[in-house]
């Protein structure tokens, strides 16, 4: 019964994540950017833009310039999360890919660093006057959710040792649309429910910063307005 | 204005504590019926402003990717929260870039997102009430669209784009700002923001020719409306009569003279400034820019050069090609742009900044200087926000920082930089940009100048700096006004070409 409910939950969450994100990305891609507004100095070539975006996405370059506290905690959290996500691929693939097996030992500790990053960010949100001022309840809840996921995951890794073989069997089976039961484990339920919630709210929350950054005109435009005429459809219609 | 006092310098420039509501209710004069209708906006706040405003917001969200992405992407990380000069000067939390954006984002969430429709309190969503609208009017006129916040945002969110959208919405419901809208009316009606008619302009230019002749003994010309001239100079109208702006105009003329360039001003397009950008209205932005295209076609010029004006250079460099075709690289089938681009000489950048023109001449060895003529000046350079973060000069990223400095170092001996975290891409706005250069906002302007004044004070104390060069008409006017309030001489600010003018050696061409 619980297993079926979780299976349905994950089907729905995946559907919402994928459809929601595709819809959002499609909207961003189709909305025109009528004017050249890169924040300068900006790269003058397409290659330069790719490098700028890469520095932004991988190293959080602008954030580094802005504030070392947010940068260090934010980067620690995101890098750890990326490692955790990669490590978790082992629960969805059989046989486990070589590089996934390779990062397993590091991935296990990434949960800890992820938690440190999240707590660092939350402390800032709670105790720095300016940041508290701009925080909405959802900003705090988002951190609570992520901290909950990290804590429950760490508990299963280091304390209660969840039946990961059973979990893997559950996901691989349902991914092939055949039923399987989930190990009865309250912490596991908590962990999975948190993850499914995160997936579901992704396309309707501030988590949209992830796809959004790639569409930000101030970052992804080439600085070449004199060399190449840039014109949106609705703007060129004004010329006729 | 006697009661306007400068805020004290921060002893250690730490992030100030919040003073909620300190700038609440600040409201620049609202445009009247006559001003609004002259440029096609409703005369006064319309009956159904709520629905109209939401509809306009929806329209802008579908026309501007920037607005759409910026409404969604913010995570309230706070990277921008201490970066705005108006926040630093006023300590009003709603002047933090993120909080300013949230004035609009809260409404966006309420009307355009699912969580905001279902759980407004949870995600900080608000109905668009009259109070919210008034708050928009107040705080979106406490942003100079300088883009400093966008440098630090991990997603590049540019509050200027949000401010522009907000002002566009306000204008569309008849709730626009007097200062900007009145000026836009003037540029259409008379040809420039100051409302100087053609004959007055011609008199001024003739007077300048006499002045320069008296001072140098050389016949430096200030031509106007000359058909077939090679260069059309588009410069802010303040250059024609305001101090210290006019000294830079003399500098441009001397450079053209010394390089033997045939050039002309235009009486019809006697304005580089384009307040259409400040109010975020594409149509106004375009109409104002189109005057330059018309004049360029009419006079048959080969090159278009732009004088010292920050936001004008952003519009010219970044937007003119889009708006008017002044530039290069239009499609073969793009008849509108090709018509002009075929006329222009593409051995040169189109448009070109006067600093690019002068620096190019210096590099070619076409100009000679007597640097000692500037020895009385101990100089620093204030990067103007729109030049620094919204444009470029030369062939490489960052040319907009190097070229003006190179010119200064070529024409003068004493140059000192201000603190690096306040120059180049991290420069602070003068406090008067973005349509705020009006006396009804003087209190805000003085407070917004604080971060610049603090670091200026440092170089004054350490190096005896007595001249802050800049290449923006708004910066010059703003500093002339606020410098005395901070205890400096108003003549401490001047143009780069003012220094060029002092030192240039004129032949007798």
């Amino acid at each position: 019964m619980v297993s079926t409910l979780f299976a349905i939950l994950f089907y729905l969450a995946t559907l919402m994540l994928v459809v929601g994100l595709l819809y959002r990305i499609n909207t961003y891609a189709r909305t025109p950017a009528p004017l050249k507004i890169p924040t300068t100095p900006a790269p003058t070539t397409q290659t330069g833009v790719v490098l700028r975006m890469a520095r932004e996405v991988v190293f959080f370059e602008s954030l580094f310039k802005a504030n070392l506290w947010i940068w260090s905690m934010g980067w620690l959290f995101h890098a750890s999360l990326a490692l955790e996500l990669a490590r978790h691929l082992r629960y969805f693939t059989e046989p486990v890919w070589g590089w996934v097996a390779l990062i397993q030992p590091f991935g296990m500790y990434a949960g800890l660093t992820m938690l440190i990053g999240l707590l660092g960010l939350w402390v800032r949100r709670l105790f720095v006057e300016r940041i508290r001022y701009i925080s909405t309840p959802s900003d705090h809840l988002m951190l609570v959710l992520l901290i909950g996921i990290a804590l429950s995951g760490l508990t299963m890794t280091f304390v209660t040792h969840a039946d990961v073989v059973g979990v893997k069997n559950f996901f691989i089976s349902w991914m092939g649309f055949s039923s399987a039961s989930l190990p009865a484990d309250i912490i596991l339920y908590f962990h999975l429910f948190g993850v499914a919630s995160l997936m579901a709210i992704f396309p309707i929350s501030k988590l949209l910063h992830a796809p959004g950054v790639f569409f930000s005109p101030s970052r992804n435009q080439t600085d070449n307005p004199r060399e190449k005429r840039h014109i949106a459809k609705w703007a060129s219609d004004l010329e006729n | 204005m006697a009661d306007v006092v400068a805020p004290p310098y921060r002893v250690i420039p730490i992030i100030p504590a919040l003073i909620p509501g300190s700038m609440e209710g600040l409201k620049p004069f609202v445009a009247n019926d006559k001003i609004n209708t002259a440029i096609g906006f409703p005369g006064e706040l319309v009956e159904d402003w709520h629905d109209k405003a939401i509809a306009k917001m929806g329209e802008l969200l579908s026309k501007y990717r920037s607005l759409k992405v910026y409404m969604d992407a913010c995570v309230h990380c706070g990277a921008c929260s201490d970066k705005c000069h108006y926040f630093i000067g006023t300590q009003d939390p709603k002047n933090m870039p993120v909080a300013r954006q949230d004035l609009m984002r809260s409404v966006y969430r309420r009307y355009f997102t699912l969580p905001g429709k279902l759980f407004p309190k949870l995600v900080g969503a608000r109905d668009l009430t009259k109070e919210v609208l008034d708050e928009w009017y107040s705080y979106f006129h406490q942003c100079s669209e300088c883009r400093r916040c966008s440098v630090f945002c991990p997603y590049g969110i540019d509050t200027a784009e949000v401010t522009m959208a907000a002002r566009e919405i306000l204008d569309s419901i008849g709730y626009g700002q007097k200062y900007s809208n009145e000026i836009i009316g003037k540029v259409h009606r008379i040809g420039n923001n100051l409302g100087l008619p053609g004959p007055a302009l011609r008199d001024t230019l003739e007077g300048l020719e006499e002045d320069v002749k008296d001072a140098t003994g050389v016949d430096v010309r200030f031509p106007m409306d000359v058909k077939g001239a090679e260069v059309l100079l588009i410069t802010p109208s303040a250059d024609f009569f305001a101090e210290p702006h006019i000294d830079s105009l003399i500098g441009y003329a001397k450079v053209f003279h010394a390089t033997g360039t045939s050039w002309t001003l235009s009486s019809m397009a006697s304005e580089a400034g384009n307040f259409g950008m400040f109010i975020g209205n594409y149509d106004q932005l375009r109409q104002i820019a189109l005057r330059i295209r018309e004049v360029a076609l009419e006079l048959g010029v080969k090159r278009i050069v732009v004088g010292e004006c920050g936001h004008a250079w952003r519009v010219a460099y970044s937007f003119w090609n889009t708006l008017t075709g002044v530039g290069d690289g239009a499609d073969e089938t793009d008849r509108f742009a090709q018509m002009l681009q075929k006329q222009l000489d593409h051995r040169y950048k189109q448009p070109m900044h006067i600093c690019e023109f002068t620096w190019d001449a210096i590099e070619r060895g076409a100009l000679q200087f007597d640097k000692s003529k500037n020895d009385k000046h101990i100089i620093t350079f204030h990067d103007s926000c729109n030049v620094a973060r919204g444009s470029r000069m030369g062939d490489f990223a960052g040319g907009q920082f190097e070229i003006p400095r190179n010119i200064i170092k070529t024409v003068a001996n004493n140059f000192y930089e201000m603190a690096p975290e306040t120059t180049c891409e991290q420069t602070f706005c003068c406090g008067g940009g973005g349509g705020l250069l009006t006396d009804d906002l003087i209190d805000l302007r003085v407070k917004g100048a604080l971060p610049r004044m603090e670091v200026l004070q440092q170089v004054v104390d350490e190096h005896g700096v007595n001249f802050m060069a800049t290449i923006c008409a708004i910066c010059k006017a703003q500093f002339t006004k606020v410098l005395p309030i901070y205890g400096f001489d108003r003549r401490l600010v001047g143009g780069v070409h003012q220094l060029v003018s002092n030192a240039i050696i004129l032949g007798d061409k």
Side-chain angles (χ1 to χ4, degrees):
Chain A
M1 182 61 191
V2 177
S3 299
T4 316
L5 280 178
F6 264 103
I8 293 170
L9 182 66
F10 269 90
Y11 280 134
L12 285 178
T14 308
L15 196 69
M16 284 169 79
L17 177 72
V18 172
V19 174
L21 269 188
L22 285 178
Y23 172 76
R24 286 294 176 157
I25 290 170
N26 189 42
T27 312
Y28 294 154
R30 290 163 64 111
T31 309
L35 292 165
K36 278 280 194 176
I37 59 164
T39 307
T40 58
T44 56
T45 61
Q46 192 64 45
T47 319
V49 168
V50 171
L51 289 174
R52 181 187 205 178
M53 287 304 305
R55 289 196 307 275
E56 205 62 90
V57 173
V58 180
F59 301 114
F60 304 178
E61 183 182 40
S62 299
L63 194 55
F64 183 77
K65 288 183 208 166
N67 186 298
L68 285 179
W69 184 347
I70 317 179
W71 177 81
S72 57
M73 292 298 124
W75 193 84
L76 188 64
F77 158 62
H78 282 87
S80 309
L81 178 64
L83 201 54
E84 274 299 347
L85 286 174
R87 183 181 83 85
H88 277 69
L89 286 174
R90 68 193 293 108
Y91 302 123
F92 305 92
T93 50
E94 184 58 45
V96 173
W97 303 333
W99 67 271
V100 175
L102 205 67
I103 61 169
Q104 173 68 6
F106 311 101
M108 286 170 68
Y109 293 96
L112 280 173
T113 49
M114 176 169 145
L115 188 63
I116 294 169
L118 286 166
L119 290 173
L121 290 173
W122 202 15
V123 164
R124 190 174 159 78
R125 206 174 272 298
L126 287 170
F127 296 108
V128 176
E129 190 190 19
R130 304 190 317 280
I131 316 300
R132 192 170 62 235
Y133 179 90
I134 58 171
S135 298
T136 60
S138 55
D139 293 328
H140 292 284
L141 284 178
M142 194 69 79
L143 286 167
V144 170
L145 177 59
L146 285 161
I147 288 169
I149 292 171
L151 274 178
S152 54
L154 284 168
T155 309
M156 287 186 288
T157 308
F158 294 107
V159 185
T160 61
H161 303 291
D163 172 12
V164 289
V165 178
V167 174
K168 179 165 182 170
N169 183 47
F170 170 83
F171 277 105
I172 293 211
S173 300
W174 284 100
M175 280 163 68
F177 299 102
S178 55
S179 71
S181 63
L182 190 63
D185 179 340
I186 193 81
I187 300 171
L188 177 68
Y189 294 167
F190 185 87
H191 188 70
L192 292 182
F193 187 78
V195 172
S197 313
L198 195 68
M199 288 163 71
I201 59 172
F202 201 108
I204 53 167
S205 69
K206 69 175 186 177
L207 299 178
L208 284 171
H209 68 277
V213 62
F214 294 97
F215 291 93
S216 175
S218 63
R219 291 290 180 272
N220 74 8
Q221 286 186 339
T222 316
D223 178 23
N224 63 352
R226 288 193 287 196
E227 290 75 23
K228 181 103 191 69
R229 187 167 197 235
H230 169 93
I231 186 128
K233 172 77 173 65
W234 66 259
S236 73
D237 287 346
L238 299 172
E239 284 160 15
N240 303 316
Chain B
M1 228 139 294
D3 59 333
V4 177
V5 288
Y9 293 143
R10 293 167 290 170
V11 182
I12 316 162
I14 47 165
I15 301 153
L18 304 183
I19 307 179
S22 73
M23 296 303 277
E24 205 167 69
L26 178 76
K27 193 173 175 179
F29 297 144
V30 178
N32 66 24
D33 181 79
K34 200 173 143 216
I35 289 169
N36 276 341
T37 49
I39 55 173
F41 296 138
E44 56 181 28
L45 189 62
V46 295
E47 282 283 311
D48 53 344
W49 57 266
H50 176 275
D51 297 352
K52 283 247 165 67
I54 298 301
K56 188 73 187 178
M57 194 168 168
E59 182 197 323
L60 295 179
L61 285 164
S62 71
K63 283 167 102 171
Y64 291 91
R65 183 186 295 165
S66 51
L67 186 66
K68 178 73 191 152
V69 171
Y70 298 164
M71 283 294 107
D72 278 340
C74 178
V75 300
H76 290 170
C77 74
C80 63
S81 60
D82 56 346
K83 302 299 188 281
C84 174
H85 54 291
Y86 289 123
F87 169 65
I88 294 170
T90 67
Q91 297 173 248
D92 188 320
K94 284 179 186 157
N95 275 330
M96 294 190 286
V98 47
R100 196 187 314 284
Q101 295 161 22
D102 271 0
L103 297 176
M104 180 180 280
R105 191 172 287 117
S106 57
V107 174
Y108 165 76
R109 286 194 171 151
R110 184 74 179 110
Y111 295 86
F112 297 93
T113 72
L114 190 64
K117 284 174 186 168
L118 298 176
F119 316 107
K121 284 260 159 48
L122 183 72
V123 295
R126 303 185 299 176
D127 288 320
L128 180 61
T129 60
K130 184 63 175 36
E131 287 69 40
V132 171
L133 197 71
D134 287 338
E135 203 174 38
W136 280 23
Y137 188 84
S138 182
Y139 286 99
F140 286 118
H141 288 105
Q142 298 186 45
C143 167
S144 58
E145 304 174 350
C146 82
R147 317 188 85 202
R148 189 167 193 266
C149 47
S150 84
V151 171
F152 300 99
C153 175
Y155 321 113
I157 298 174
D158 179 7
T159 311
E161 293 292 305
V162 181
T163 294
M164 288 172 192
R167 293 185 187 175
E168 163 80 328
I169 293 169
L170 289 167
D171 270 323
S172 76
I173 56 173
Y175 197 7
Q177 180 217 24
K178 174 173 183 267
Y179 174 69
S180 295
N181 289 3
E182 190 171 35
I183 279 179
I184 291 172
K186 268 191 243 172
V187 81
H188 289 309
R189 205 167 62 247
I190 304 166
N192 55 63
N193 290 355
L194 293 169
L196 293 168
L201 207 52
R202 190 172 295 278
D203 278 356
T204 306
L205 296 177
E206 279 167 11
L208 281 178
E209 289 181 352
E210 284 165 29
D211 292 349
V212 177
K213 173 85 174 172
D214 288 348
T216 65
V218 180
D219 278 311
V220 174
R221 305 267 298 117
F222 288 78
M224 195 165 82
D225 297 333
V226 178
K227 275 205 172 162
E230 189 195 345
V231 167
L232 169 64
L233 177 74
I234 302 290
T235 204
S237 55
D239 281 2
F240 297 123
F241 87 112
E243 285 286 352
H245 308 63
I246 202 161
D247 295 314
S248 284
L249 176 63
I250 294 169
Y252 321 149
K254 286 181 180 173
V255 169
F256 288 135
H257 177 91
T259 53
T261 308
S262 91
W263 68 290
T264 185
L265 291 155
S266 156
S267 53
M268 183 177 120
S270 46
E271 178 61 65
N274 189 330
F275 278 35
M277 179 174 89
F278 294 160
I279 64 167
N281 183 292
Y282 191 91
D283 198 45
Q284 286 297 338
L285 180 66
R286 179 168 175 271
Q287 295 299 337
I288 294 167
L290 279 177
R291 298 168 316 123
I292 288 131
R293 172 189 165 92
E294 281 167 39
V295 167
L297 287 168
E298 187 187 308
L299 298 179
V301 296
K302 298 286 173 211
R303 307 174 63 178
I304 303 178
V305 174
V306 180
E308 294 181 359
C309 183
H311 84 281
W313 179 239
R314 182 179 181 199
V315 173
Y317 173 86
S318 293
F319 305 156
W320 269 3
N321 200 0
T322 299
L323 299 166
T324 68
V326 175
D328 199 353
D331 251 26
E332 282 304 317
T333 54
D334 182 348
R335 283 178 36 227
F336 174 85
Q338 282 296 346
M339 189 173 151
L340 181 60
Q341 295 195 351
K342 281 193 178 128
Q343 175 188 314
L344 298 173
D345 184 344
H346 295 289
R347 288 175 303 167
Y348 306 101
K349 293 185 189 316
Q350 305 286 358
M352 185 177 252
H353 194 280
I354 187 70
C355 285
E356 290 180 304
F357 187 95
T358 300
W359 180 241
D360 177 59
I362 291 169
E363 285 201 301
R364 282 188 287 115
L367 297 175
Q368 259 65 52
F369 299 98
D370 176 1
K371 288 172 103 161
S372 69
K373 287 281 170 58
N374 277 317
D375 279 353
K376 62 179 182 289
H377 294 309
I378 301 168
I379 302 160
T380 192
F381 183 69
H382 162 78
D383 290 280
S384 299
C385 53
N386 277 296
V387 176
R389 293 183 284 260
S391 78
R392 174 161 57 98
M393 289 179 203
D395 290 314
F396 58 96
Q400 69 270 37
F401 310 132
E402 288 199 19
I403 289 176
R405 285 172 171 79
N406 288 345
I407 295 175
I408 294 172
K409 289 174 195 162
T410 306
V411 304
N413 287 312
N414 313 310
F415 178 76
Y416 297 96
E417 288 283 2
M418 285 183 279
E421 65 278 12
T422 70
T423 57
C424 298
E425 73 167 350
Q426 300 198 20
T427 189
F428 277 107
C429 165
C430 63
L436 309 182
L437 191 75
T438 170
D439 281 347
D440 44 315
L441 288 173
I442 189 70
D443 179 44
L444 178 76
R445 286 167 52 189
V446 170
K447 287 173 175 161
L450 178 72
R452 173 50 76 221
M453 293 296 108
E454 285 175 340
V455 289
L456 175 63
Q457 186 71 57
Q458 283 173 11
V459 286
V460 167
D461 293 344
E462 284 168 30
H463 304 292
V465 162
N466 60 13
F467 193 95
M468 179 166 63
T470 187
I471 46 173
C472 172
I474 287 177
C475 291
K476 290 172 193 169
Q478 156 77 354
F479 285 134
T480 302
K481 188 97 177 185
V482 304
L483 280 169
I485 299 173
Y486 279 91
F488 296 106
D489 186 336
R490 65 197 292 274
R491 286 164 303 183
L492 196 139
V493 66
V496 167
H497 277 77
Q498 180 176 342
L499 298 170
V500 170
S501 174
N502 291 342
I504 195 167
I505 298 169
L506 297 172
D508 38 20
K509 273 178 215 144

